[in-house]
């Protein structure tokens, strides 16, 4: 049984939620999405944990959660927590030939920098774009959906510029984290297709195997084995959607045994690799 689950679904190119209620659900488990997620923190008391890093949030912070990144919010029961949440289809973002609208997510994932704290001017533009997407989505007028889509594209360009610009007009958000565990997470993600073992990780990072396993779970909420397995399956799905065959996806994501891959894939996604392709 895996330690975390895929949550939410997205049947459209994008979907926006504006949530103002106080939190009443208690602690939310670690989870991931099969789509990208942008959270714009309007106000309240909250922090976010993404891939082992704990980010305290301030109003106007932008949280970027690339697809497949394990995360959870941390909000006190009954605490105020207002935010915009935007779900985005990777296929939709990749549909623009002029520029890569996934850039902000790629930058967040490769740089392990998931929270943007823009300056007042840029934060104002970002806030206005979320409001414009919401307003267009609430109307049933000619071209409303297309207008909302244009605002979403403009938002993605604004966020990409914030990450790519040397003078992005923002402050770094300092995350609390276990440096050793984040190093291990980074190495795993860079080497998913190769041989990875608990013993090998312990030797590479000069840490006791059992101590490493306890720290990994304490910092991330899941086991090393489950983390690797789920990341490999997500990679396999990307390969299949990109045109790879089932066997190619199996060995291309790091699995050595096709029957084990087939069972794991069907359990994870509810379909076979051939049905995905």
């Amino acid at each position: 049984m895996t330690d975390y689950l895929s949550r939410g679904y997205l049947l459209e190119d994008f979907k926006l939620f504006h949530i103002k209620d106080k939190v009443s659900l208690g602690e939310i488990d670690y989870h991931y999405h099969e789509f990208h997620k942008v959270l714009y923190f309007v106000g309240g008391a909250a922090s976010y944990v993404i891939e082992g890093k704990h980010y305290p949030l301030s109003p106007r912070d932008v949280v970027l959660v690339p697809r497949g990144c394990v995360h959870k919010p941390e909000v006190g029961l009954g605490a105020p927590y207002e935010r915009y949440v935007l779900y985005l289809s990777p296929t939709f973002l990749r549909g623009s030939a002029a520029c890569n609208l996934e850039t902000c997510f790629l930058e967040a994932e490769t740089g392990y920098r998931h929270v943007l704290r823009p300056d007042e001017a840029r934060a104002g533009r970002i806030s206005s774009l979320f409001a414009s997407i919401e307003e267009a989505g609430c109307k049933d007028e000619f071209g409303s959906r297309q207008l909302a889509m244009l605002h979403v594209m403009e938002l993605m360009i604004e966020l990409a510029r914030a990450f790519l610009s040397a003078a992005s007009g923002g402050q770094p958000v300092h995350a609390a984290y276990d440096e050793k565990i984040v190093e291990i997470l980074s190495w795993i993600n860079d080497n998913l297709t190769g041989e990875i073992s608990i013993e090998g990780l312990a030797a590479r990072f000069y840490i006791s195997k059992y101590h490493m396993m306890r720290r990994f779970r304490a910092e991330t909420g899941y086991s090393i084995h489950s983390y690797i397995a789920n990341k490999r399956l997500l990679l396999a799905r990307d390969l299949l959607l990109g045109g790879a065959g089932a066997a190619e996806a199996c060995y291309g994501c790091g699995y050595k045994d096709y029957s084990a891959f087939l069972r794991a894939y069907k359990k994870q996604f509810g379909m076979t690799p051939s049905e995905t392709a």
Side-chain angles (χ1 to χ4, degrees), residues 137-175:
C138 290
K139 292 181 178 179
D140 187 17
E141 298 177 352
F142 175 79
S144 292
R145 183 66 180 177
Q146 285 70 26
L147 184 58
M149 184 180 297
L150 290 173
H151 292 316
V152 169
M153 295 174 71
E154 188 177 354
L155 175 64
M156 291 300 98
I157 291 170
E158 186 70 39
L159 294 177
R161 287 177 175 177
F163 269 87
L164 294 173
S165 174
S168 62
Q171 296 294 322
V173 178
H174 298 290

Side-chain angles (χ1 to χ4, degrees), residues 34 233-241 265 269 271 276:
E34 293 176 32
L233 291 171
L234 286 168
L235 174 58
R237 190 171 195 187
D238 282 345
L239 292 171
L240 290 164
L241 293 173
Y265 191 94
F269 299 115
M271 64 180 72
T276 299

Side-chain angles (χ1 to χ4, degrees), residues 1-5 29-32 49-53 68-72 112 181 185 188-189 198 212-231:
M1 184 175 184
T2 57
D3 298 284
Y4 55 95
L5 301 172
D29 292 333
Y30 284 101
H31 61 281
Y32 68 90
V49 186
I50 307 173
E51 293 288 329
K53 287 193 171 185
C69 282
V70 181
H71 64 283
K72 72 170 183 176
Y112 268 72
I181 297 304
L185 284 166
I188 289 172
N189 280 287
I198 300 295
M212 176 184 66
M213 293 166 68
R214 286 193 298 271
R215 281 171 63 176
F216 195 97
R217 185 180 286 276
E219 287 297 316
T220 65
Y222 39 90
S223 71
I224 296 174
H225 173 76
S226 293
Y227 182 87
I228 294 169
N230 279 271
K231 290 285 184 172

